[in-house]
Amino acid sequence: MLTDLSVQHFLDALASGEPAPGGGSAAALAGAQGAALISMVCNLTVGRKKYAGVEAELLECRARADGLRAQLAGLIDRDTAAYELVMAAYKLPKETPDQAAARTEAIQSALRQATLTPLETLVACVDVLELSPVILAKGNPNAASDGAAGMLAAHAGMHAAALNVRVNLNAIEDAGFVSEMSTRMSSLLIRGEVARASAWQLAELAVGGR
Amino acid sequence: MLTDLSVQHFLDALASGEPAPGGGSAAALAGAQGAALISMVCNLTVGRKKYAGVEAELLECRARADGLRAQLAGLIDRDTAAYELVMAAYKLPKETPDQAAARTEAIQSALRQATLTPLETLVACVDVLELSPVILAKGNPNAASDGAAGMLAAHAGMHAAALNVRVNLNAIEDAGFVSEMSTRMSSLLIRGEVARASAWQLAELAVGGR
């Protein structure tokens, strides 16, 4: 499992000339980092008298961020696995017409899965982004730069995941699937950018400075 | 060392209520991921006949990205260490005037170090960003989404590092130091945004799609 590798070894695996892990797993890791930093801000807020008024909301936020961290950590491995299925399908024999047809079918099926996996990463990154204004508005302000760092990581993860969705859609023949995915992706990206803008404004206010 | 932790354990440490590791170490990891993905694109390009014309340039690019990955991986730990020094300084005794003066001096000195460390992360993230248009323009186009994911991670790392610089500058009394750091940071952020814009345009061209 990629998540069992040390951080150093994961970075080395990413840098290698193997086509996976690549941008899709990196997107999931960025999102997982974002979720972790949201949880961190919640953990630096809950249980303190000063923030008793937001305790319930931040406990709920932490539960969601913890769940998203687990989901996105799983997607680090699942994205690489989905990519490997595509590569395996391309290696199927195509000598007879039957083989060629089966290979095309296998490639198209693997590509759909390799699209749905980064789309799941994209959805989870948007969920992380939508938690970030909450913790920047209501969480411990001493951890604002940590919360903002989480938002930025999730934003990078969202766009990296979207590029991976698009690359796979380019090779998919089912126009209905392509159109449905493109539409879903566009509205997710808008939601993510709205959350980012709101979180960034709150981060600027919290960090302030000269 | 944080980089010896598994990816899963690093994420869990980030999520915990301990004030470190936090946004500063996450910024360095994002930058290191970016550098790793730049190296990946180089590794998927060099040694192939088709790309012989850009071989020398991409070997040079890979050497720089490999160096930046090592530097940024080191900064994951160094940022947390710098933060811990600040916390230790705040805990020094302040009962006598001499103690109070020594404590203030120690806090200010630790804060300067805790500013210079994310500034180094910021510089390295900008360096990664400035490599990204090169690999998107000249590297293997099949790895364009990986290169773009690297650019996005470095961009998130740059801004997260900048927020950490600003948070520390807020508490530093030496106006000359604050002014010098702010000026350096502004020009680095501009360089980073210019590189990002150029890389994003190239990524759009490479990924294209419907």
Side-chain angles (χ1 to χ4, degrees), chain A residues 37-52:
Chain A
L37 287 161
I38 303 284
S39 292
M40 176 187 177
V41 181
C42 296
N43 281 320
L44 286 166
T45 309
V46 298
R48 300 185 185 199
K49 249 188 194 152
K50 199 173 165 185
Y51 305 112

Side-chain angles (χ1 to χ4, degrees), chain A residues 52-161:
Chain A
V54 296
E55 176 95 1
E57 191 171 359
L58 286 215
L59 281 173
E60 163 74 17
C61 182
R62 184 179 69 182
R64 293 188 55 201
D66 284 350
L68 289 163
R69 174 165 102 257
Q71 183 190 359
L72 285 157
L75 281 159
I76 298 172
D77 279 291
R78 287 172 50 211
D79 194 275
T80 289
Y83 185 79
E84 282 165 351
L85 275 183
V86 174
M87 292 196 294
Y90 274 109
K91 284 179 190 156
L92 290 174
K94 50 178 177 178
E95 275 127 65
T96 70
D98 277 3
Q99 281 179 342
R103 176 175 172 272
T104 299
E105 173 68 35
I107 291 170
Q108 289 296 312
S109 160
L111 281 170
R112 277 193 295 273
Q113 192 52 48
T115 304
L116 291 170
T117 308
L119 188 76
E120 187 180 332
T121 301
L122 206 171
V123 171
C125 285
V126 172
D127 287 342
V128 173
L129 281 166
E130 290 185 338
L131 293 176
S132 63
V134 179
I135 54 111
L136 284 163
K138 302 184 178 175
N140 186 334
N142 294 328
S145 65
D146 303 303
M151 176 277 283
L152 290 162
H155 183 253
M158 172 180 83
H159 280 295

Side-chain angles (χ1 to χ4, degrees), chain A residues 11-28:
Chain A
L11 290 170
D12 295 342
L14 208 55
S16 83
E18 294 299 315
S25 290

Side-chain angles (χ1 to χ4, degrees), chain A residues 131-206:
Chain A
L131 293 176
S132 63
V134 179
I135 54 111
L136 284 163
K138 302 184 178 175
N140 186 334
N142 294 328
S145 65
D146 303 303
M151 176 277 283
L152 290 162
H155 183 253
M158 172 180 83
H159 280 295
L163 288 172
N164 274 269
V165 170
R166 286 169 59 191
V167 161
N168 289 306
L169 286 183
N170 285 340
I172 290 181
E173 287 157 7
D174 177 346
F177 180 86
V178 172
S179 154
E180 187 198 330
M181 291 299 116
S182 298
T183 306
R184 285 187 59 187
M185 192 168 62
S186 299
S187 88
L188 285 162
L189 288 170
I190 291 168
R191 275 176 50 197
E193 289 299 340
V194 169
R196 183 200 191 276
S198 158
W200 184 254
Q201 207 167 10
L202 291 161
E204 279 288 333
L205 278 172

Side-chain angles (χ1 to χ4, degrees), chain B residues 149-174:
Chain B
M151 176 277 282
L152 291 162
H155 183 253
M158 173 180 83
H159 280 295
L163 288 172
N164 274 269
V165 170
R166 286 169 60 190
V167 162
N168 289 304
L169 286 182
N170 285 342
I172 289 181
E173 286 158 8
D174 177 346

